[in-house]
Amino acid sequence: MKSKIAIMGAMAEEIEPLLEKVENIKKNRYAKNIYYEATYRGKDIVIAYSKIGKVFASLTATILIEKFGCDKLLFSGVAGAINPELKIGDLIIASHLCQHDLDITAFGHPLGYVPEGEVCIPTDRRLREIAKEIAERRGVELREGIIATGDQFISNRDRKAFISSTFNADALEMEGGSVAVICDALEVPFFILRAISDSADGSADIDFDKFLESSAKISADFILDMVENIE
Ligand code: ADE
């Protein structure tokens, strides 16, 4: 069966560069949001931005899969860097995702863990391989690492250091970990790509505003190459 690929962002800026390049757009209003059915180089896709945070991201991922019938999900957007080798505009793909703000440690559980869940959820291996092949062909650097998710914009060195040491994460953002839970539960292969917009430090808010658009575009352009290369 022909696949239908969901492409999600969190913010309008993260999907606008996609909407400029896709064809045959049909706008669907649902659950106080807009879902754009479209085609790109012959592939059927559905694009939406969720709004910021884990709850909205979970809702949107679920709708893309359950209502629109998407059988693969790609996330495109920006992230704060933890790994000092990651600079503004650099691309990172998640090997795994975790939730840094999920905390029932009072009951003796590790941070990020709830019973019957997992601290780290892996992304789809084949989609990661496709991304690495594209990066090699394009001659762009693509880091692979753990991405930590939470309902917090991190602009604080101490919190960043804590997330780094607790989860061994390379980057952080506010949606990927929840998309991972949904796709894992619904058995839909998924892939999370982020371009760095800031370093999650004291100037993160200023850098985020400055680099959101340019970094979101870098990520979106790469995601469209992914769409073309998915069987
Ligand atoms: N997304 C991009 N930068 C971020 C930050 N510093 N904290 C959380 N999410 C982000």
Side-chain angles (χ1 to χ4, degrees):
M1 212 179 69
K2 198 179 172 193
S3 69
K4 201 186 218 189
I5 303 166
I7 312 180
M8 256 186 89
M11 302 174 70
E13 290 85 347
E14 291 171 326
I15 67 158
E16 273 156 7
L18 301 167
L19 294 175
E20 281 168 16
K21 294 206 172 140
V22 299
E23 291 148 5
N24 306 311
I25 296 178
K26 180 175 170 237
K27 241 169 132 172
N28 301 276
R29 282 181 199 283
Y30 188 74
K32 298 190 177 175
N33 204 351
I34 303 173
Y35 291 80
Y36 300 89
E37 288 180 287
T39 59
Y40 184 71
R41 309 262 160 107
K43 300 270 166 51
D44 291 330
I45 57 180
V46 187
I47 302 171
Y49 77 91
S50 56
K51 299 187 277 288
I52 294 165
K54 294 193 291 179
V55 174
F56 282 130
S58 303
L59 175 67
T60 301
T62 306
I63 290 170
L64 283 163
I65 295 164
E66 291 288 307
K67 182 172 171 62
F68 289 93
C70 294
D71 53 14
K72 290 183 183 64
L73 189 149
L74 313 178
F75 194 107
S76 177
V78 301
I82 294 178
N83 186 322
E85 286 176 19
L86 283 168
K87 306 294 177 211
I88 305 286
D90 285 355
L91 286 167
I92 175 165
I93 59 172
S95 60
H96 296 77
L97 295 115
C98 59
Q99 297 181 61
H100 66 73
D101 60 349
L102 182 56
D103 185 350
I104 54 166
T105 53
F107 298 93
H109 295 295
L111 198 66
Y113 176 82
V114 291
E116 298 179 57
E118 295 171 80
V119 175
C120 276
I121 298 178
T123 56
D124 183 70
R125 183 192 293 268
R126 180 64 198 133
L127 292 173
R128 270 185 273 143
E129 278 170 10
I130 293 171
K132 287 177 207 168
E133 286 160 16
I134 292 168
E136 203 173 312
R137 274 207 302 277
R138 275 190 173 199
V140 298
E141 262 211 55
L142 188 65
R143 183 169 291 272
E144 182 175 7
I146 296 173
I147 295 184
T149 299
D151 283 324
Q152 299 163 350
F153 184 83
I154 308 296
S155 56
N156 169 306
R157 277 180 190 280
D158 291 343
R159 181 71 190 157
K160 172 178 160 178
F162 176 76
I163 294 168
S164 170
S165 58
T166 310
F167 296 99
N168 196 24
D170 289 295
L172 52 83
E173 36 85 312
M174 301 179 69
E175 295 81 22
S178 59
V179 171
V181 172
I182 301 300
C183 292
D184 180 56
L186 297 174
E187 298 184 86
V188 168
F190 73 102
F191 171 82
I192 310 279
L193 175 71
R194 299 278 185 167
I196 300 301
S197 57
D198 60 85
S199 296
D201 54 13
S203 54
D205 52 341
I206 292 163
D207 288 343
F208 182 87
D209 282 345
K210 194 163 158 196
F211 297 111
L212 166 63
E213 250 181 71
S214 56
S215 292
K217 189 174 171 346
I218 291 170
S219 177
D221 286 348
F222 195 97
I223 282 285
L224 286 177
D225 261 9
M226 291 281 298
V227 170
E228 225 181 319
N229 283 277
I230 288 171
E231 309 78 44

